[in-house]
Amino acid sequence: MSFCSKCGTQIPEGANACPNCGQNLTAAPSGLSIQIIKNVFGVLSKKPIMLLGISLLCTLLTFVAGILGGPVPLIGFALGLVLELGMAWIYLDGYRGQEVKVDSLFDGFKNFKRSFCVMGWRKLVVFLWTIVPMVLGGLAAYIFAKAVFAQLLGNLKNLIFGGFGRSSYYGYGYGFGGYDYSDLMGGMPSGVVIALLVIGGIALVGGIITGFVFYCIKTYAYSVVPYIIRDDNETKPMDVARKSANMTNGYKGKMFLTDLLIVICIAVVNGILGALGNVPGVGFLFTIIATAVSVLIGLFTPLFFGLVRAAWYVEITKNR
């Protein structure tokens, strides 16, 4: 089952064009990211209040679930995941041009066990791919730093309680009170000290960067998990993430560029309004406009990205 990436209409098997809008389905898409963004704007223009209202309701309910599950965080976490799943289904319905209903927000609770297992497994896998490189980098940095500071602290203790080194009175070192602080590293060459600290720093930064890269890759790889659950009830919960990773092969970079384009557009708009806010005489007017725009961006950004995810799923399934 595939759907048109432009209007969301279901495409009959073997069709070369959308029966509703005439979109060519055989030609390679040009500027696919821009086209998807245009399509999402088209969806929002038709039902902005309904989609925004349900999105805000989902956010409110997730917050309430977190508070109610305070003593047992897993309860709030589970409820939040299932609500997130329901919201993803609403994004998909909205993009496909189907009726959007508030009740759909709770559809994931109809099979709570399956919904929680699939969404929870996705979160866990992404978390592990992110945290493991960071932990390994931090551990390596700790080992290298410990080698330096253990030597430093040991010799500092000797200096305080016993003293060592040559007397600065004889023109050696930089000590005072008769002791030379240039010997604090106990004979360890300064080049070795610097090398150990640099290697440790590289390991730490490398671990953080690697974790972030894996986070992005795995997030996009498993981004269509919620929609697979909706359209495929036969795939086992633990296999849904694997299916999502296979489906998104060749699309992760395009999805990232789409998100990056949206972020750049938001930054440019905010930058222009911020600059206009410094114009003498009319700056206050642009400041008010910038504030209003910032509020609207804050409200619609999660909604917009949700629809973009749904749009990519439609695009991927169309080409499968």
Side-chain angles (χ1 to χ4, degrees):
M1 179 171 58
S2 62
F3 297 85
C4 176
S5 62
K6 183 176 182 180
C7 68
T9 300
Q10 186 172 340
I11 304 299
E13 186 175 353
N16 295 323
C18 173
N20 181 49
C21 68
Q23 171 89 333
N24 189 349
L25 304 177
T26 58
S30 171
L32 188 55
S33 295
I34 296 177
Q35 184 60 51
I36 282 179
I37 292 174
K38 289 181 178 178
N39 293 345
V40 170
F41 270 116
V43 172
L44 278 177
S45 66
K46 295 177 181 177
K47 50 188 83 172
I49 304 302
M50 175 63 76
L51 287 170
L52 178 60
I54 299 177
S55 176
L56 294 177
L57 176 61
C58 179
T59 302
L60 176 62
L61 291 176
T62 302
F63 176 74
V64 172
I67 294 177
L68 295 178
V72 186
L74 182 60
I75 295 177
F77 178 70
L79 295 175
L81 285 180
V82 179
L83 286 170
E84 178 186 345
L85 177 63
M87 194 66 231
W89 292 350
I90 289 174
Y91 291 143
L92 184 59
D93 288 341
Y95 188 79
R96 285 173 170 173
Q98 299 172 356
E99 183 182 1
V100 174
K101 299 181 294 184
V102 177
D103 296 350
S104 300
L105 185 60
F106 308 100
D107 283 352
F109 289 94
K110 295 177 181 178
N111 193 343
F112 181 84
K113 181 179 178 180
R114 176 179 171 82
S115 299
F116 172 67
C117 287
V118 173
M119 296 296 287
W121 179 248
R122 181 183 73 156
K123 291 285 187 182
L124 178 62
V125 172
V126 172
F127 173 77
L128 290 177
W129 275 99
T130 303
I131 200 66
V132 168
M134 293 184 177
V135 171
L136 292 177
L139 182 61
Y142 170 76
I143 292 173
F144 285 111
K146 184 179 180 181
V148 173
F149 288 105
Q151 183 72 44
L152 173 62
L153 293 176
N155 288 333
L156 185 60
K157 178 180 178 181
N158 292 334
L159 173 65
I160 294 173
F161 294 103
F164 63 88
R166 294 163 296 192
S167 171
S168 61
Y169 294 148
Y170 295 97
Y172 302 103
Y174 304 97
F176 62 88
Y179 300 112
D180 180 13
Y181 285 88
S182 65
D183 282 341
L184 275 177
M185 293 315 300
M188 182 183 289
S190 59
V192 174
V193 174
I194 295 174
L196 289 174
L197 292 177
V198 169
I199 294 173
I202 292 175
L204 178 61
V205 174
I208 294 173
I209 293 175
T210 302
F212 176 74
V213 171
F214 278 142
Y215 168 80
C216 292
I217 292 174
K218 295 303 176 180
T219 296
Y220 287 110
Y222 304 136
S223 60
V224 299
V225 162
Y227 314 115
I228 295 175
I229 306 174
R230 176 69 175 273
D231 292 340
D232 182 3
N233 291 321
E234 297 180 359
T235 303
K236 296 179 180 179
M238 297 306 173
D239 293 333
V240 174
R242 187 180 299 111
K243 183 174 182 178
S244 175
N246 291 334
M247 289 179 65
T248 53
N249 280 336
Y251 287 93
K252 290 187 284 290
K254 299 174 184 177
M255 296 166 76
F256 172 76
L257 290 177
T258 304
D259 290 350
L260 182 61
L261 180 61
I262 297 170
V263 171
I264 290 175
C265 290
I266 292 174
V268 169
V269 170
N270 285 330
I272 292 175
L273 291 176
L276 292 174
N278 296 320
V279 176
V282 295
F284 73 95
L285 178 60
F286 285 107
T287 300
I288 295 174
I289 295 175
T291 302
V293 170
S294 297
V295 171
L296 290 175
I297 289 175
L299 291 174
F300 280 95
T301 295
L303 172 59
F304 198 89
F305 278 109
L307 288 170
V308 167
R309 289 286 174 274
W312 273 112
Y313 173 71
V314 171
E315 181 64 32
I316 291 170
T317 54
K318 181 195 75 174
N319 293 320
R320 283 178 64 83

